[in-house]
Amino acid sequence: MTAIRTEFEAGCYAVTPSVQNIIILDRFRQINVAKVDDFSPLFQILKIKMEKYFSIETLIKANIIFSLARELGLQPGMFVDGDKAIIDHCRAKIAGNVLEADHELLLQELIDAWYEIANHPLLKKYIRLGEFMGVDNVVGCLFAPIGGYELFVNDFYTGCMKAFVNAHFAPSQLMEQFAGLLYSSFDGDGLQHDIFYCKEMFLKKSQLILSEMGNEEAKAKAYLVTQHKSFTTFKGAWFFAVIGWAKIELDDVENFPEAQVALGQLLDRKLITSEEAELKFQLTDLQAQLAEESPSQIFQFNFSHLSPIHDKNKLIVSAIEYAIANYAKQYVVKPYGKRTQEELPLYLLAGQGRDAENQLKVAILEGRAEDFQPFEWYAITQKAKSKSLKDITRQMIAIRAFKEEPLWLGVPNIHLVGTSYIVQRFVPPVTFQYRRLDNVIKGARKRDRIAMPSNALSLSEEGVDNLADSLQETLNLQEMSPNSCILL
């Protein structure tokens, strides 16, 4: 349970009486604190062995680091300055209700969680996928490299699903909550507080890993088909009508500068404090329906297909909340906060649309990117959509990688006259950041951390190239047999 304090009581996302306060990504993709279920009973029922178990809170924190790093186009543990950029981005994403005095403590909790995950025995085979990242860790990276983190999370969930099948699909509601919490942080979408989100996430993610379920695939598939049909019937025509109405009410709200704050206040049932009278007026009907004890008065639907235990008014309110949160994610919530393109660091323009990428290309060609750090070039390669921008970036990296080559590669027969003094004189210390980056982009990785071998003076260029392995070959671990998931 986190020690982070908030200005007001954390929102509750739990479906059971047993709750815990943990750090999450909220529905506006901000780092926040919320009350969620205690999932230890779920893992007891799934019979996960203790040596293969770790706190779900720890995994969620690591997911937050990973998803916010990916938002920048980065991977934790790859570059010293890149890790600093990730932490700065996390700092900027802390929700306003988290006490400012606890911001640094929150960041330290995230860093500690990543360290704990990276050093867990379950991660050994995945950390191998990150070896190509490695040398900078000896001089100050905040994170240990885990190149196969996506694979690890999906394998972890696959193992949980196999155990869930063997436990005869119980407890289903807690399993759905777990799926929603796990992937809301991993995908970076943020956790929504309604009865539809977690069910949808559970069905979607479980369907994607069916082929990895081995002997349990048929049972799992039949269960998911039944659940999908039941959920579709449960929503019915009324759900889509309410969603449609809410979208009309929200039309063009994203054009107001204070839209995100206003929608947050709307969902939290608070008074909208915006000074924009037009924005407040547009949200009046939505606010009234969320506050109304009988919102169904304006929605005349047939709910006869639902069980009497379902409160139709609460269902309508949940559907409105669902529509608002999804609209905000699609149109209102900005990945880098309120900063305009002009205020963003140049490298973050990659992936922000054609105009932004053209602006970045011009900056590179005009020489305004000479001070870019390796992590910035890497981020561009990960985020850019324009082929021409990718090509220019790769060329720039290749040029810098060539300049990093040790002098002994360009001096024939230097080994014949080599002494320790000459080695120190003619082989300047380098970190090979661009060379490693060039190898990553070409689909290669280093088998070991790059270091000057003892026989460096007699090593040919071909011998140096043999130090590199194929990243793609390593990533073929993703094609593991269905029975090799990490929990079972």
Side-chain angles (χ1 to χ4, degrees):
M1 186 174 293
T2 183
I4 305 305
R5 299 167 297 172
T6 56
E7 291 184 4
F8 46 86
E9 187 175 2
C12 185
Y13 293 80
V15 295
T16 64
S18 181
V19 299
Q20 56 180 334
N21 276 20
I22 73 168
I23 296 172
I24 66 161
L25 274 185
D26 67 19
R27 54 196 166 202
F28 293 126
R29 301 175 188 167
Q30 294 183 314
I31 304 174
N32 214 329
V33 176
K35 295 182 184 297
V36 301
D37 294 282
D38 175 7
F39 291 102
S40 54
L42 170 65
F43 284 86
Q44 290 172 4
I45 294 172
L46 297 184
K47 298 180 179 179
I48 304 299
K49 296 179 180 179
M50 287 307 297
E51 63 267 23
K52 294 186 175 182
Y53 173 80
F54 45 78
S55 165
I56 296 305
E57 178 183 7
T58 301
L59 180 57
I60 300 309
K61 291 176 185 175
N63 278 353
I64 291 172
I65 287 287
F66 177 78
S67 63
L68 293 184
R70 185 170 51 190
E71 200 166 70
L72 297 176
L74 298 175
Q75 295 189 53
M78 193 167 188
F79 301 103
V80 172
D81 291 319
D83 283 0
K84 292 176 183 176
I86 292 169
I87 287 297
D88 287 342
H89 187 48
C90 290
R91 184 179 288 107
K93 300 282 278 190
I94 297 175
N97 68 300
V98 175
L99 291 183
E100 188 172 351
D102 286 355
H103 283 197
E104 296 307 312
L105 176 61
L106 185 154
L107 295 172
Q108 190 60 52
E109 283 196 24
L110 296 181
I111 294 170
D112 291 345
W114 183 271
Y115 179 84
E116 183 177 338
I117 292 291
N119 285 277
H120 195 281
L122 285 181
L123 271 290
K124 286 183 179 179
K125 68 179 180 181
Y126 303 98
I127 289 175
R128 290 202 301 273
L129 299 178
E131 286 180 354
F132 68 91
M133 300 176 186
V135 328
D136 285 346
N137 282 284
V138 300
V139 289
C141 273
L142 289 169
F143 305 108
I146 310 175
Y149 191 76
E150 301 109 311
L151 177 59
F152 156 68
V153 171
N154 286 320
D155 278 355
F156 183 83
Y157 183 68
T158 301
C160 290
M161 274 299 296
K162 292 180 74 172
F164 180 62
V165 172
N166 292 329
H168 307 291
F169 311 105
S172 60
Q173 194 174 23
L174 204 53
M175 185 67 184
E176 291 168 10
Q177 289 292 108
F178 166 66
L181 185 61
L182 177 69
Y183 282 104
S184 68
S185 57
F186 176 73
D187 293 339
D189 289 334
L191 185 61
Q192 294 186 31
H193 184 39
D194 60 71
I195 63 174
F196 307 103
Y197 174 81
C198 290
K199 184 77 171 185
E200 287 184 350
M201 186 64 74
F202 169 74
L203 293 173
K204 175 184 176 182
K205 296 299 184 179
S206 300
Q207 184 69 34
L208 290 176
I209 53 95
L210 274 177
S211 60
E212 305 296 326
M213 292 284 290
N215 297 332
E216 287 80 10
E217 180 179 357
K219 291 180 182 178
K221 185 175 182 179
Y223 176 77
L224 292 176
V225 168
T226 301
Q227 289 294 304
H228 187 270
K229 288 181 178 178
S230 174
F231 188 51
T232 301
T233 301
F234 171 73
K235 289 190 295 187
W238 70 269
F239 175 81
F240 298 102
V242 173
I243 296 295
W245 173 81
K247 285 183 177 180
I248 292 173
E249 295 297 312
L250 291 165
D251 189 41
D252 291 335
V253 161
E254 71 273 13
N255 294 326
F256 293 97
E258 298 181 34
Q260 181 172 325
V261 174
L263 292 182
Q265 293 171 335
L266 183 66
L267 287 168
D268 290 334
R269 309 294 197 275
K270 294 180 180 179
L271 182 66
I272 297 176
T273 58
S274 172
E275 295 181 358
E276 296 174 295
E278 188 177 347
L279 174 61
K280 294 173 70 173
F281 176 76
Q282 183 170 343
L283 298 178
T284 299
D285 288 344
L286 283 166
Q287 192 169 37
Q289 292 306 312
L290 290 173
E292 182 66 50
E293 293 183 1
S294 302
S296 60
Q297 290 178 358
I298 70 166
F299 300 108
Q300 301 302 317
F301 302 119
N302 181 5
F303 289 90
S304 61
H305 64 288
L306 298 180
S307 166
I309 65 172
H310 292 117
D311 185 326
K312 63 181 181 180
N313 295 327
K314 289 183 178 179
L315 290 179
I316 290 173
V317 166
S318 291
I320 294 173
E321 291 176 335
Y322 177 91
I324 294 171
N326 277 282
Y327 186 88
K329 286 178 181 179
Q330 186 173 0
Y331 298 109
V332 177
V333 180
K334 301 183 185 302
Y336 310 123
K338 297 180 180 180
R339 288 179 292 179
T340 64
Q341 286 188 359
E342 291 73 21
E343 296 171 318
L344 287 175
L346 278 174
Y347 80 96
L348 290 181
L349 295 179
Q352 297 301 303
R354 181 181 301 175
D355 291 342
E357 293 202 342
N358 284 337
Q359 181 182 337
L360 178 55
K361 278 190 289 187
V362 170
I364 293 173
L365 294 174
E366 289 180 348
R368 287 185 279 133
E370 289 300 315
D371 293 333
F372 271 13
Q373 298 296 314
F375 82 89
E376 294 174 297
W377 290 113
Y378 176 79
I380 295 171
T381 67
Q382 302 302 299
K383 299 287 286 186
K385 305 298 182 185
S386 163
K387 183 179 182 300
S388 60
L389 176 57
K390 288 182 178 180
D391 289 343
I392 292 171
T393 302
R394 288 166 181 160
Q395 291 172 19
M396 293 297 179
I397 292 171
I399 291 170
R400 286 159 174 76
F402 178 77
K403 291 179 179 179
E404 276 189 341
E405 291 296 338
L407 186 59
W408 49 266
L409 288 181
V411 181
N413 300 322
I414 191 173
H415 61 283
L416 297 176
V417 296
T419 67
S420 60
Y421 172 78
I422 292 177
V423 170
Q424 293 172 10
R425 173 67 179 83
F426 287 95
V427 185
V430 290
T431 61
F432 296 96
Q433 290 190 82
Y434 284 106
R435 188 173 166 203
R436 287 188 296 112
L437 183 50
D438 194 36
N439 283 332
V440 171
I441 292 170
K442 291 176 180 176
R445 73 170 179 93
K446 295 302 181 188
R447 180 184 294 112
D448 299 301
R449 190 174 73 225
I450 296 178
M452 186 69 69
S454 59
N455 63 338
L457 295 180
S458 60
L459 195 62
S460 66
E461 186 169 358
E462 180 181 358
V464 173
D465 289 339
N466 288 336
L467 291 176
D469 232 346
S470 167
L471 176 60
Q472 189 56 51
E473 288 178 4
T474 307
L475 291 178
N476 282 339
L477 285 173
Q478 295 187 28
E479 299 177 6
M480 296 179 300
S481 67
N483 294 318
S484 64
C485 67
I486 63 177
L487 290 181
L488 293 174

